[in-house]
Amino acid sequence: HFKKGQTYKIAYLVRGADAKNFTERMEVKLGAKASVDGMTHTLLPAQDITNDTFEEFTHTVKADSTFNAFIGFHAISKPMQFLLYVDSIAVDIVPESKAPDMPTDFITTPDAQGKAVIALGFKAPTTAVDGTELTGISQIEVRRGNELIKSFLSPAPGQSLEYVDDGALEGKNVYSIIAYNDYGAGKKAVAVGFAGIDRPASRSEEH
């Protein structure tokens, strides 16, 4: 979901399967509908893909309206080519200079009994992206993957905050935290937490 006036960074990895023998070709577009006619903005003009190891492409887009955004990856290789891979697609907000900086001291603590519970702790930012002092924070959002799991309303800059995620998934959980003020979303802090009981390592022989 793109908001009017907000700037976004779009990134992804691309490679061919056998660049020595086949040349792939693709274009990437952006639009408000998941249809050919809805792809109104070109991110990547038609380009040959001649690498068989992943190469990162990035684009910066400032939304001129509020809309649900769709990204279209269009493979346009000539007939009888091979395979084209796209991986690690990411869309992130590019913060304004007066938006909050990244929350700090972000830690995750697993449950000592191996339950699917992870405790999160962090500090609200005290400065804006440009280094000036923050006068206020409207909210801080905590997400597990793409799911919003907690919102802290009007925390004080520098305030220590905690949250216990009792809906964590068994295994690896990726958490992100973003603070907001009148200038929009700030920088994102990311941490990984593990839930559940790990399998023991294989026994080594002692001599």
Side-chain angles (χ1 to χ4, degrees):
H1 186 73
F2 280 13
K3 294 183 179 180
K4 182 178 180 178
Q6 182 69 63
T7 301
Y8 298 87
K9 177 186 176 183
I10 300 169
Y12 50 90
L13 302 177
V14 177
R15 72 175 178 89
D18 185 359
K20 292 181 179 180
N21 299 302
F22 301 95
T23 298
E24 307 299 336
R25 190 170 176 82
M26 70 176 295
E27 62 181 357
V28 182
K29 292 182 176 288
L30 173 74
K33 294 182 180 179
S35 65
V36 174
D37 293 339
M39 297 287 109
T40 55
H41 182 78
T42 299
L43 296 176
L44 180 71
Q47 178 171 321
D48 288 341
I49 305 300
T50 57
N51 50 290
D52 49 18
T53 57
F54 278 118
E55 178 181 347
E56 184 178 40
F57 290 82
T58 61
H59 314 282
T60 301
V61 177
K62 186 169 185 177
D64 56 9
S65 62
T66 297
F67 64 99
N68 290 324
F70 296 88
I71 302 172
F73 295 89
H74 188 195
I76 50 175
S77 304
K78 293 180 179 179
M80 303 303 293
Q81 297 306 299
F82 199 22
L83 296 173
L84 182 66
Y85 294 97
V86 179
D87 201 355
S88 301
I89 303 167
V91 180
D92 288 305
I93 293 173
V94 178
E96 301 289 339
S97 62
K98 295 296 183 182
D101 206 345
M102 185 186 304
T104 60
D105 300 340
F106 188 11
I107 61 171
T108 64
T109 304
D111 181 74
Q113 305 302 317
K115 296 179 182 179
V117 175
I118 298 175
L120 312 179
F122 61 94
K123 287 184 178 180
T126 58
T127 59
V129 173
D130 64 1
T132 58
E133 183 178 355
L134 274 183
T135 57
I137 299 171
S138 58
Q139 67 175 332
I140 294 179
E141 292 184 347
V142 182
R143 293 179 183 272
R144 183 195 332 108
N146 292 321
E147 181 183 357
L148 177 65
I149 58 174
K150 177 64 177 178
S151 291
F152 295 92
L153 300 180
S154 302
Q159 181 179 348
S160 294
L161 298 167
E162 297 179 347
Y163 176 69
V164 176
D165 179 18
D166 57 7
L169 307 177
E170 293 280 349
K172 179 179 177 181
N173 294 261
V174 179
Y175 295 96
S176 61
I177 304 175
I178 299 178
Y180 294 77
N181 65 4
D182 291 342
Y183 293 90
K187 285 187 175 181
K188 178 169 62 176
V190 178
V192 176
F194 294 88
I197 299 175
D198 198 4
R199 292 184 299 176
S202 58
R203 183 174 64 87
S204 59
E205 297 292 337
E206 294 184 2
H207 300 281

